[in-house]
Amino acid sequence: MAGLVLTRPIPLLILQSFLLAVAFGSNEVEEEFSEALLLKPLPDRKVLAHFHFENRAPPSNSHGRHHHLFPKAISQLVQKFRVKEMELSFTQGRWNHEHWGGSDPLSSMNAKPVGVELWAVFDVPHSQVDASWKNLTHALSGLFCASINYLESSASYAAPTWGFGRNSDKLRYGSLPREAVCTENLTPWLKLLPCRDKDGISALMNRPSVYRGFYHSQRLYLSMVDSGEEGVGSGMLLEQTLTVVLQPDDVSVEKHLQPSWSLSSLFGRNVVGKCVLAKSSNVYLQMEGLAHPEAHTLWKNAEFELSIKPDRTLRESSSVLFIYSIDKSSDSEPFDLGLTWKLPSKWSCQQAPLHASRFLMGSGNERGAIAILLKATESQDKLSGRDLTNGRCTIKANIFQIFPWYVKVYYHTLQIFVDQQQNTSSEVLKKINVSPSTDKMSSGMMEMMLELPCEVKSAAISIEYDKGFLHIDEYPPDANQGFDIPSALISFPDHHASLDFKEELSTLPLLSKFKDKSLVRSYTEVLLVPLTTPDFSMPYNVITITCTVFALYFGSLLNALRRRIGEEERFLKSKGKKTGGLKQLLSRFTAKIRGRPVESPSSDSPATRSSILSTKLLFKIILVAVAAAAWQFFSTDM
Amino acid sequence: MTKDDGEMVEEQKKKPCRFWIWALSSVLFRLILISYAGNLNLSSRPEVSTPLTSIRRLAEGYWLKQASMSPYAGSMYHGSPLLLSLLGPLTVQRIKGQPSHLFCSLVFVIADILSAILLRGIGKKLQMAYGLNARLLGLLKSPRDKGILPCGDIAALVYLWNPFTIVCCVGLSTSPIENLAVILALNGAVTRRVPLAAFGLVMATHLSLYPAILTIPVIFLLGYGLDAPPLKLFLQTRNVESGNRSSTSSASKQAKSKPTAQLPFLWKTVVHFVFWALVWSLCVMVLCRLSLSKHGGLEEMFKRTYGFILSIEDLSPNIGVFWYFFAEVFDFFRNFFLIVFHVNILFMLLPLAIRLKHRPCFLAFIYLAISSLLKSYPSVGDSALYLSLWALFVNELADMKFSFFLFCGYLGVSLLSPVMHNLWIWRGTGNANFYFGNAIGYACFQIVFVVESVSAMLNHDRALKKCNPNHQKVKN
């Protein structure tokens, strides 16, 4: 491997480093980096560009903390938190399953929910999984300049058991639908690449053109590769992909033609040479739904024309792949692949067996229902008859859904409609796993497996919920915008997406990735739930008013209990004194009859008492006045 | 007193008949409403169903239990596991073309009828005691005096025809069952069936915690007997009677024998009651333990029921004021205010018990009114209970102040509450303060009601003293 590297013309500095590597451990497998770009015209006049960077660190115990190509930050992350497998994606925009494909490997791996999605499998004991997850979210948050740390709270992540497609009990999954993804997340992501965006294919990533697209998903997948040998640590595989869907500038006059484009028109830049550290550096162009003319004229036919002759041409049942190596390109001769359409062309993408969408029902801020609608797609006709189980053709669909705690779901209201007929659950619902949400503590999770007949036209699932009421501190700054419910994940366990080109070249990183069977999955829309808000300006008023009411209760009730008859009589007596002597006399008389001593009238007449009162009052006023004057005097003196 | 005896006897016969007609018509009314229950949508009204009493949450708890999860998993169900085993299976029973929770509704109707009958029993006892005491004090000459209102019938009908009760019954809140347990405890204590009283009290406490404070009035009822004017009056009467022996009547003979310097406290009955209470609570615990054996046991139950009541975790709006208070209050003070508000109930227990110990039933009514005022999750079902208990004291509280004002207040609040809720939640044209203002108004009316009832009762005792013919004699 090292010899192969040496044969290439590379700068002196890197030569030195490789010589060192050769000197120290020539028998070991080297770290590998490869880059690739896949371009694919889409039926709705758009172009998909998929950047794929793969970084492999072989299993070794001697590497320790030192890496040649593998990013140190990631390897430290893996060592510290014992991550076995991890995927982080930042997405803006929604994947259009109908036009951009639903069941090919590209879409099933790269169609991600809006915002940030993170899942990780850990290699730690059960009790430490949550702690590792929390630490990992914080580390990634710092690494990628994103608020991934919000996934730390137990109310925002879940532990799927089988609905996610990976049967591991050490898996944690969380997503932040409202995370805004922008260039500040891309820059740290690019820093993990050996050539950053300075050289090779990644130089194409011109920020304005990348973020101008309809869909933009930046993904980082990390997995440990077990060597199987004793005493040798596991290797690491880091896969970084960026998928963008761009709209080429249409310069042609004819509207019915697909737009022609070139790399420079799409990105505003050209590829000038490969990243010298990369083992392979290829550009692929995938064309779908072509009639099959002769192979040697495929790149230049009546329908379209490529600007550069492909190095190789591969075929699969429904698509053709043109492979270019960019080794030969240089400053003087940049690699600028272009596609020119000559005839109007129409094709369709491979679609998932069912198209999933999700929506809210009901109005008002008290309660509502969430519905997931699965609609049959055209590709279903092809599938029917294929999945025969028990003599019946069925489509299996797994639904995985996280509910934040403020959406209080009533699982007993789950209803399933198949072809608009309400179905008793047991017929269609094969398996269900629910973990209900706890207020402010944990989010709810629902995993269910549906087994639908192949000829199904539509299936709908609805579940009712109550909207929660939050404490004022729990509302985000823009409380009236509403809260997001993360996307549901619909996966089809019996359907796998793979593209097999049946050639030895399938060992190329991207192609081998396509060859792997991956689960067909699709994410639904993010839902926006408006919640009622309290009056944010009221805390003081509410506290004072409520306390006043309770003071009123306490005081008046105690007063009612405390009042005694004797007291009332005395009160009446004092009243009587003022009104006249007759009543006073009467009371004295009754008291005598009762055998009680007459209350001796106070020695002071009211007049004297009032005078005493007034002198006391006067004294107090004078005291206060003197104090005030003294204060004034001293304060002015100061 | 212009009617002659024959007419009176006829009326006596007619009255129970009339009572049963009204009671049956109230049941019919309920059944009619139940058949329209789906359209009325009462079960989702915050005034009717709180997180503790909502049937939807109960159904969810039952579903979770059926799915072999703890019914308390998640924050849905917070009620008793026994209620879950009783009502849970009924929530899933359905008849085609009938409202979904028909069987539960029927259970609640039966609970309401039982409550009314038990209330009537309490009322009859109280009425007899009132008549007896009045005669003892020499206020009533004839045993068949028309001045005493049949408070049992009135209270039972007030309970059955109170819109709050009807709304709770039709709206599928579990409060009719909680009310039944409370009334059962009081009935047991009034009729001196000690095991029944203990059972009612233990069940009521198990279902909603707050009736625990009724232990004091129940012990008073068992120890001192039924409501009576203060002891001093009887003593005075006896003193006067012993002074002029010329006017001895059959009534005064009894009076002489009954009151002594210290009212006898029947320790034996009370010990009996405590024993039964322990037995019943043990039974309840064991049953709960059995039904929750796989899901966390009793500790989980106490945390999710009593803990939920005491820590006010759910901030969804209800007719009380705490939800908004704790949604707005700063987190730092939360625990302080939690303690203050809960202790507020306990603070008033002792003063009331001292002042009203001669009227244990009335004390129970006041305790219930206070707890429904200061409850974490109050509903109109609680008001329905104390309002019907209030009707037991129509004789004593005849000259209560502000009664018209209070009636209008309750009416206004119950009409405005749905309007404000609609404006805030459904239309979005109002905000939370609209509904909270309504709740504050309701709290104020309840406070005035409690205070006026207490002072009216104390005034009644005073008036008894003044009207006492012996007292007059002393004066002259």
Side-chain angles (χ1 to χ4, degrees):
Chain A
M1 197 62 67
L4 192 135
V5 172
L6 279 171
T7 54
R8 289 178 184 171
I10 43 172
L12 196 66
L13 192 82
I14 298 158
L15 179 74
Q16 273 177 351
S17 72
F18 274 86
L19 278 175
L20 277 171
V22 169
F24 281 107
S26 54
N27 57 340
E28 278 186 11
V29 191
E30 275 306 319
E31 290 180 359
E32 282 175 18
F33 172 72
S34 62
E35 53 180 2
L37 167 65
L38 176 86
L39 296 160
K40 182 178 170 187
L42 296 171
D44 61 340
R45 305 170 69 80
K46 296 187 179 67
V47 178
L48 178 135
H50 174 70
F51 296 83
H52 180 99
F53 306 97
E54 199 174 294
N55 213 328
R56 273 175 196 275
S60 135
N61 52 356
S62 63
H63 276 297
R65 290 170 172 273
H66 185 72
H67 293 283
H68 294 291
L69 296 172
F70 201 84
K72 197 178 171 189
I74 298 293
S75 73
Q76 282 177 339
L77 209 74
V78 170
Q79 276 161 14
K80 183 123 199 229
F81 307 122
R82 320 255 319 131
V83 181
K84 210 168 157 195
E85 209 176 349
M86 182 191 101
E87 186 176 359
L88 171 68
S89 68
F90 297 88
T91 309
Q92 202 79 295
R94 229 168 70 68
W95 184 264
N96 187 340
H97 286 273
E98 281 166 52
H99 290 116
W100 303 348
S103 69
D104 52 326
L106 200 64
S107 64
S108 63
M109 280 188 286
N110 295 295
K112 289 286 172 188
V114 177
V116 169
E117 188 204 42
L118 172 70
W119 62 265
V121 183
F122 296 92
D123 186 21
V124 291
H126 275 292
S127 54
Q128 293 169 26
V129 173
D130 285 318
S132 293
W133 168 264
K134 279 172 191 174
N135 289 329
L136 178 71
T137 55
H138 277 270
L140 287 174
S141 177
L143 204 57
F144 289 102
C145 300
S147 28
I148 306 171
N149 56 322
Y150 284 136
L151 289 176
E152 171 213 38
S153 88
S154 56
S156 56
Y157 67 86
T161 51
W162 47 266
F164 188 63
R166 250 159 246 271
N167 296 320
S168 169
D169 44 4
K170 290 171 185 173
L171 171 69
R172 294 291 178 274
Y173 173 93
S175 76
L176 295 170
R178 199 174 282 184
E179 182 73 8
V181 179
C182 201
T183 169
E184 82 228 16
N185 307 115
L186 185 66
T187 309
W189 183 85
L190 284 170
K191 270 189 183 174
L192 302 175
L193 300 174
C195 296
R196 307 224 168 163
D197 58 342
K198 299 284 180 273
D199 216 354
I201 286 171
S202 51
L204 280 176
M205 286 181 207
N206 180 29
R207 304 303 194 286
S209 48
V210 164
Y211 286 102
R212 198 184 51 196
F214 286 81
Y215 178 82
H216 162 263
S217 173
Q218 147 200 345
R219 187 172 144 263
L220 180 138
Y221 172 78
L222 178 76
S223 81
M224 303 303 289
V225 186
D226 263 333
S227 59
E229 287 175 56
E230 276 291 314
V232 178
S234 47
M236 287 176 278
L237 167 70
L238 176 68
E239 203 183 294
Q240 285 173 271
T241 64
L242 176 74
T243 312
V244 285
V245 173
L246 300 169
Q247 174 84 65
D249 296 325
D250 204 354
V251 286
S252 70
V253 195
E254 292 177 86
K255 286 293 166 197
H256 53 274
L257 269 187
Q258 289 278 338
S260 304
W261 50 265
S262 68
L263 277 183
S264 56
S265 78
L266 279 179
F267 294 101
R269 285 184 190 178
N270 284 324
V271 182
V272 282
K274 58 181 275 190
C275 171
V276 284
L277 295 170
K279 190 184 141 213
S280 70
S281 185
N282 293 316
V283 173
Y284 306 91
L285 176 68
Q286 190 188 358
M287 304 288 285
E288 274 192 333
L290 290 181
H292 287 281
E294 291 305 304
H296 60 275
T297 56
L298 200 53
W299 65 282
K300 201 175 194 175
N301 56 22
E303 206 175 351
F304 64 92
E305 187 182 335
L306 300 178
S307 64
I308 304 170
K309 185 177 185 296
D311 296 349
R312 298 282 309 257
T313 306
L314 299 181
R315 285 179 159 204
E316 205 253 351
S317 57
S318 64
S319 61
V320 180
L321 196 70
F322 302 101
I323 305 175
Y324 298 89
S325 172
I326 55 166
D327 294 350
K328 283 160 270 171
S329 64
S330 63
D331 279 336
S332 57
E333 195 189 329
F335 178 82
D336 187 9
L337 177 65
L339 172 70
T340 317
W341 289 95
K342 292 183 198 156
L343 287 175
S345 171
K346 256 192 162 178
W347 71 94
S348 64
C349 284
Q350 290 178 22
Q351 297 201 354
L354 296 169
H355 175 70
S357 60
R358 191 177 61 161
F359 50 90
L360 287 176
M361 299 196 293
S363 66
N365 282 336
E366 197 180 20
R367 56 180 186 272
I370 296 175
I372 297 175
L373 182 67
L374 301 169
K375 259 191 182 162
T377 54
E378 291 146 15
S379 73
Q380 203 194 325
D381 303 333
K382 283 187 275 174
L383 295 165
S384 56
R386 209 180 73 179
D387 312 297
L388 283 165
T389 42
N390 307 332
R392 210 160 59 98
C393 172
T394 54
I395 305 172
K396 274 186 191 156
N398 282 352
I399 299 174
F400 167 63
Q401 165 84 70
I402 288 184
F403 298 108
W405 70 265
Y406 39 78
V407 173
K408 301 177 173 183
V409 177
Y410 290 97
Y411 292 101
H412 74 272
T413 58
L414 179 75
Q415 283 180 313
I416 300 175
F417 299 88
V418 175
D419 290 332
Q420 286 154 17
Q421 301 250 312
Q422 190 172 354
N423 222 301
T424 50
S425 299
S426 57
E427 269 177 54
V428 177
L429 188 66
K430 287 297 156 201
K431 216 159 123 188
I432 184 164
N433 177 31
V434 156
S435 89
S437 60
T438 320
D439 283 358
K440 298 174 193 184
M441 290 296 294
S442 67
S443 55
M445 183 193 63
M446 180 177 77
E447 297 163 299
M448 46 201 258
M449 183 189 276
L450 300 181
E451 208 173 272
L452 301 164
C454 281
E455 63 276 7
V456 68
K457 287 279 163 280
S458 73
I461 297 144
S462 84
I463 191 160
E464 287 175 32
Y465 67 90
D466 271 356
K467 294 181 184 182
F469 290 81
L470 281 68
H471 185 264
I472 44 168
D473 291 348
E474 290 162 346
Y475 286 94
D478 51 348
N480 286 306
Q481 191 193 329
F483 288 73
D484 294 297
I485 303 180
S487 302
L489 170 64
I490 320 285
S491 52
F492 303 95
D494 290 344
H495 296 82
H496 294 279
S498 71
L499 278 179
D500 193 359
F501 291 99
K502 297 188 181 75
E503 299 252 351
E504 75 283 7
L505 270 171
S506 297
T507 48
L508 283 172
L510 183 63
L511 297 188
S512 67
K513 194 82 200 163
F514 281 177
K515 205 177 163 186
D516 290 346
K517 286 197 166 182
S518 60
L519 212 59
V520 173
R521 48 172 69 183
S522 61
Y523 287 91
T524 62
E525 299 91 337
V526 168
L527 293 178
L528 186 65
V529 182
L531 292 187
T532 2
T533 54
D535 191 337
F536 291 103
S537 60
M538 283 283 280
Y540 291 101
N541 302 353
V542 170
I543 293 169
T544 47
I545 291 171
T546 314
C547 290
T548 309
V549 168
F550 286 119
L552 182 76
Y553 148 76
F554 193 79
S556 55
L557 188 54
L558 211 61
N559 188 36
L561 288 176
R562 197 190 52 88
R563 189 175 292 161
R564 289 192 172 273
I565 301 166
E567 219 169 289
E568 256 171 28
E569 277 173 2
R570 239 172 288 142
F571 176 70
L572 281 176
K573 236 173 267 167
S574 66
K575 236 183 186 175
K577 263 173 208 158
K578 275 172 207 161
T579 49
L582 193 70
K583 274 189 181 172
Q584 198 180 334
L585 229 123
L586 208 86
S587 71
R588 219 179 265 178
F589 181 66
T590 48
K592 209 174 241 174
I593 291 168
R594 270 192 195 175
R596 279 192 200 164
V598 183
E599 279 188 28
S600 57
S602 52
S603 54
D604 317 301
S605 69
T608 54
R609 193 192 273 171
S610 69
S611 75
I612 281 173
L613 266 174
S614 65
T615 50
K616 255 186 187 171
L617 197 73
L618 211 69
F619 179 70
K620 273 181 192 165
I621 289 167
I622 288 167
L623 200 75
V624 169
V626 166
W631 174 254
Q632 183 71 18
F633 177 72
F634 282 113
S635 61
T636 48
D637 233 25
M638 300 277 272
Chain B
M1 306 293 135
T2 46
K3 288 173 189 169
D4 55 27
D5 273 12
E7 215 171 305
M8 264 165 62
V9 172
E10 211 168 274
E11 197 137 302
Q12 290 281 330
K13 274 183 190 167
K14 239 189 236 168
K15 249 178 196 168
C17 206
R18 213 189 289 161
F19 168 78
W20 287 113
I21 287 169
W22 277 105
L24 279 178
S25 60
S26 84
V27 172
L28 267 179
F29 184 58
R30 259 160 241 245
L31 291 176
I32 291 166
L33 283 184
I34 282 167
S35 60
Y36 294 109
N39 301 335
L40 291 171
N41 231 339
L42 282 170
S43 56
S44 60
R45 300 236 39 100
E47 297 88 5
V48 176
S49 68
T50 65
L52 291 174
T53 61
S54 152
I55 194 89
R56 274 181 100 200
R57 286 176 181 249
L58 192 140
E60 178 71 8
Y62 183 70
W63 188 87
L64 288 174
K65 204 181 167 194
Q66 291 303 99
S68 66
M69 265 182 275
S70 162
Y72 298 115
S75 304
M76 273 299 174
Y77 186 57
H78 300 285
S80 139
L82 301 182
L83 204 62
L84 195 70
S85 333
L86 180 78
L87 290 180
L90 298 180
T91 57
V92 287
Q93 299 272 325
R94 250 148 244 237
I95 301 176
K96 260 238 143 79
Q98 294 296 322
S100 52
H101 294 306
L102 186 69
F103 289 100
C104 287
S105 314
L106 294 180
V107 169
F108 294 140
V109 171
I110 292 166
D112 267 0
I113 298 166
L114 281 179
S115 303
I117 292 168
L118 291 172
L119 258 179
R120 193 159 174 250
I122 299 174
K124 282 203 165 147
K125 283 270 176 190
L126 283 178
Q127 189 187 345
M128 273 162 62
Y130 183 80
L132 185 72
N133 287 325
R135 261 177 280 133
L136 285 181
L137 291 175
L139 294 175
L140 290 178
K141 298 297 174 214
S142 146
R144 277 193 185 168
D145 201 293
K146 296 283 288 174
I148 304 173
L149 293 165
C151 57
D153 292 1
I154 292 173
L157 286 182
V158 162
Y159 187 77
L160 282 176
W161 278 103
N162 189 343
F164 288 170
T165 329
I166 295 172
V167 156
C168 274
C169 177
V170 178
L172 292 163
S173 134
T174 56
S175 45
I177 294 188
E178 287 164 21
N179 291 352
L180 173 65
V182 170
I183 292 172
L184 201 65
L186 289 179
N187 187 286
V190 166
T191 55
R192 310 197 70 77
R193 289 184 204 131
V194 176
L196 187 69
F199 175 73
L201 191 66
V202 166
M203 279 317 289
T205 309
H206 172 65
L207 290 177
S208 64
L209 181 65
Y210 289 97
I213 55 174
L214 288 184
T215 318
I216 300 169
V218 167
I219 284 179
F220 279 171
L221 265 176
L222 293 172
Y224 290 125
L226 279 174
D227 289 29
L231 190 66
K232 253 191 275 175
L233 280 184
F234 292 109
L235 292 179
Q236 229 169 41
T237 316
R238 194 174 59 167
N239 288 343
V240 172
E241 303 253 323
S242 56
N244 39 358
R245 293 190 175 221
S246 55
S247 60
T248 15
S249 67
S250 60
S252 63
K253 259 182 206 164
Q254 280 179 12
K256 243 189 283 177
S257 59
K258 202 181 176 187
T260 48
Q262 190 70 45
L263 204 67
F265 190 74
L266 306 172
W267 283 107
K268 217 172 159 186
T269 327
V270 172
V271 169
H272 199 191
F273 167 75
V274 170
F275 166 74
W276 272 107
L278 287 177
V279 168
W280 286 123
S281 38
L282 200 72
C283 286
V284 167
M285 295 273 192
V286 167
L287 284 176
C288 291
R289 183 82 235 267
L290 284 178
S291 67
L292 289 174
S293 54
K294 285 175 221 144
H295 322 290
L298 286 181
E299 195 191 334
E300 175 81 357
M301 183 191 89
F302 284 127
K303 211 178 108 193
R304 292 311 185 101
T305 54
Y306 294 171
F308 180 75
I309 293 171
L310 292 178
S311 62
I312 316 186
E313 285 158 18
D314 197 306
L315 300 176
S316 50
N318 54 41
I319 198 85
V321 292
F322 288 164
W323 60 275
Y324 201 47
F325 186 88
F326 285 103
E328 295 264 348
V329 82
F330 310 103
D331 248 357
F332 181 74
F333 294 112
R334 191 183 158 88
N335 290 335
F336 168 73
F337 278 112
L338 272 180
I339 294 168
V340 167
F341 286 155
H342 289 306
V343 163
N344 229 333
I345 301 181
L346 301 180
F347 265 157
M348 267 303 162
L349 294 188
L350 198 65
L352 281 168
I354 292 170
R355 202 75 177 87
L356 292 168
K357 67 170 182 297
H358 57 281
R359 291 193 180 276
C361 265
F362 185 73
L363 188 63
F365 150 65
I366 291 294
Y367 279 1
L368 285 171
I370 287 176
S371 69
S372 97
L373 166 67
L374 293 168
K375 241 182 179 181
S376 321
Y377 310 100
S379 71
V380 289
D382 305 308
S383 307
L385 177 64
Y386 74 71
L387 285 175
S388 56
L389 283 180
W390 174 80
L392 285 175
F393 304 98
V394 274
N395 290 313
E396 288 93 335
L397 300 179
D399 46 358
M400 187 171 145
K401 272 185 273 177
F402 305 130
S403 46
F404 181 67
F405 167 71
L406 283 172
F407 174 75
C408 292
Y410 273 76
L411 197 73
V413 164
S414 44
L415 290 180
L416 271 182
S417 169
V419 174
M420 293 303 178
H421 191 257
N422 188 290
L423 282 182
W424 174 38
I425 299 281
W426 294 96
R427 260 159 234 280
T429 47
N431 69 10
N433 299 338
F434 284 46
Y435 194 68
F436 175 68
N438 194 59
I440 280 281
Y442 182 62
C444 288
F445 283 121
Q446 278 179 305
I447 288 167
V448 174
F449 179 77
V450 169
V451 172
E452 282 313 313
S453 309
V454 170
S455 39
M457 185 51 97
L458 294 176
N459 281 335
H460 173 74
D461 283 348
R462 264 165 231 160
L464 273 186
K465 201 171 180 182
K466 288 215 180 97
C467 306
N468 196 344
N470 303 320
H471 187 80
Q472 301 289 335
K473 269 176 216 159
V474 175
K475 264 191 183 174
N476 301 331

